[in-house]
Amino acid sequence: MRHVFSSAVLFAGIMLLPALATAAPSRADAQKAYNARDHSRCALIYTQLTQMPDAIRSDGYNAACCLALAGDADAAFEQLRDTILSHYTRVADIEQDPDFAPLHGDPRWQPLLDLARQEEDRHLAGTDRALRHELFVRMNHDQQMRGRLMADPENRTLLEEMQAIDRDNTGWLKNLIDTRGWPGYKLVYKDGAQAAWLLAQHADLDPDFQQQVLELLEKAVLEKDASPSHLAYLVDRVRTGRDQKQLYGTQFIKEDGHWLPAPIEDEANVDARRQRIGLGTLTEYAEQIRDAYAQ
């Protein structure tokens, strides 16, 4: 299962549930159903989301996950195949995702992986796959450490370990940028560029470096070599680090036990700004953040 946000997402005919007939489906509702192990409802909502104008690539992947968990192997294979052919999907994600365990014994599983490898080779032609792998290793280490700290936020030892990881990743990324420039889509594909962005997003101990990356990302976005949403997240990160109001509402703080967006400049128009760069509403994002940190 792939989550839609980073504090830091890829899904015939199913009838609408009455509760959804009068309201647009939301990824927050789908995530709640997944967390509650209501896999049929989760699959329904994500399948609906694939048909919405603002569908994102993880919707199809997540629908396939929930269909597999719900025991509908035929629909899961069909959805996963469609996702592989319409959006780049990492073979490692499919192989390692425990949600697809119910499909492993099916004779269609290996041919599906072969198709995913063919598509991966096609998408990654011309990229630096070794560098992309290194970015994934560092990103995964970052995320595992933050997951441990989130489960035990008062643990000073874990905090120091996380800061050591951040310093190491920041130093490594600095050297990479000095020698090869910003690792964008052309160099490490979209998912590798996302991993690089995450390392920069967490380089809070070096705000001057974050500002440098911000300028590089602005140029990369103009050249269609980076994601506008990644730029938005880093803009907010840099601004909040300077005690300035954020623009897109991506950064949250905890007050009196509640997760709230850090102060936002021109908050009345924040959803319009978010929409321009492909983000959902602030209300939906806030619900996702609160659900994630409540777990």
Side-chain angles (χ1 to χ4, degrees):
M1 185 77 165
R2 293 184 179 174
H3 294 284
V4 179
F5 60 92
S6 166
S7 53
V9 239
L10 301 176
F11 263 37
I14 304 176
M15 293 179 62
L16 287 173
L17 289 175
L20 297 177
T22 59
S26 78
R27 294 179 184 93
D29 289 336
Q31 187 65 46
K32 285 181 180 178
Y34 178 85
N35 293 343
R37 299 185 180 182
D38 188 349
H39 299 128
S40 294
R41 179 175 172 81
C42 173
L44 169 63
I45 298 173
Y46 273 122
T47 301
Q48 288 178 308
L49 286 167
T50 65
Q51 301 163 13
M52 302 292 286
D54 61 347
I56 57 178
R57 66 192 185 107
S58 61
D59 292 336
Y61 181 97
N62 288 342
C65 287
C66 292
L67 287 164
L69 291 169
D72 192 342
D74 290 345
F77 274 108
E78 181 179 353
Q79 183 61 71
L80 191 51
R81 179 182 174 83
D82 288 348
T83 299
I84 290 168
L85 291 174
S86 59
H87 301 290
Y88 168 64
T89 308
R90 293 173 59 201
V91 176
D93 288 343
I94 301 172
E95 286 183 310
Q96 298 168 14
D97 197 325
D99 290 348
F100 292 132
L103 306 181
H104 289 180
D106 193 294
R108 293 171 288 185
W109 179 247
Q110 191 57 52
L112 185 101
L113 292 179
D114 293 341
L115 174 65
R117 287 192 183 90
Q118 293 172 13
E119 288 297 296
E120 184 169 70
D121 288 341
R122 181 174 69 84
H123 282 280
L124 297 183
T127 64
D128 187 329
R129 299 178 84 160
L131 175 58
R132 177 171 166 270
H133 175 73
E134 175 69 14
L135 283 163
F136 288 146
V137 170
R138 289 180 175 274
M139 178 185 68
N140 290 337
H141 197 192
D142 168 297
Q143 293 292 279
Q144 289 165 5
M145 190 68 246
R146 278 175 163 75
R148 291 174 60 198
L149 185 61
M150 191 166 69
D152 189 5
E154 304 302 320
N155 190 320
R156 296 294 302 177
T157 300
L158 290 180
L159 176 61
E160 291 171 2
E161 288 182 34
M162 185 189 76
Q163 291 174 336
I165 290 170
D166 288 347
R167 281 191 289 268
D168 180 65
N169 283 336
T170 298
W172 178 85
L173 189 58
K174 276 184 175 181
N175 290 333
L176 173 64
I177 289 173
D178 286 345
T179 56
R180 304 189 67 177
W182 176 252
Y185 295 168
K186 297 182 185 71
L187 184 60
V188 291
Y189 199 68
K190 294 179 180 179
D191 51 2
Q194 178 173 353
W197 157 78
L198 188 70
L199 301 187
Q201 186 80 355
H202 291 161
D204 298 317
L205 298 174
D206 194 339
D208 290 340
F209 175 63
Q210 282 186 321
Q211 178 62 43
Q212 177 191 357
V213 172
L214 184 60
E215 294 166 5
L216 292 172
L217 265 184
E218 288 173 346
K219 183 174 183 291
V221 168
L222 289 175
E223 295 173 351
K224 300 188 185 305
D225 200 33
S227 165
S229 65
H230 291 168
L231 177 60
Y233 272 81
L234 192 56
V235 165
D236 282 356
R237 192 81 164 200
V238 169
R239 289 174 72 99
T240 54
R242 295 172 176 169
D243 293 324
Q244 299 173 349
K245 291 184 176 181
Q246 59 177 330
L247 296 180
Y248 301 96
T250 65
Q251 304 302 299
F252 275 57
I253 55 177
K254 196 171 188 179
E255 291 185 355
D256 299 325
H258 300 286
W259 287 99
L260 303 170
I264 300 171
E265 185 175 307
D266 185 25
E267 187 169 357
N269 292 306
V270 66
D271 279 343
R273 292 193 294 275
R274 290 174 64 87
Q275 183 179 23
R276 283 197 294 271
I277 57 170
L279 296 176
T281 68
L282 180 61
T283 297
E284 182 176 275
Y285 181 69
E287 189 173 359
Q288 292 166 355
I289 289 286
R290 291 167 189 143
D291 286 347
Y293 280 83
Q295 295 172 20

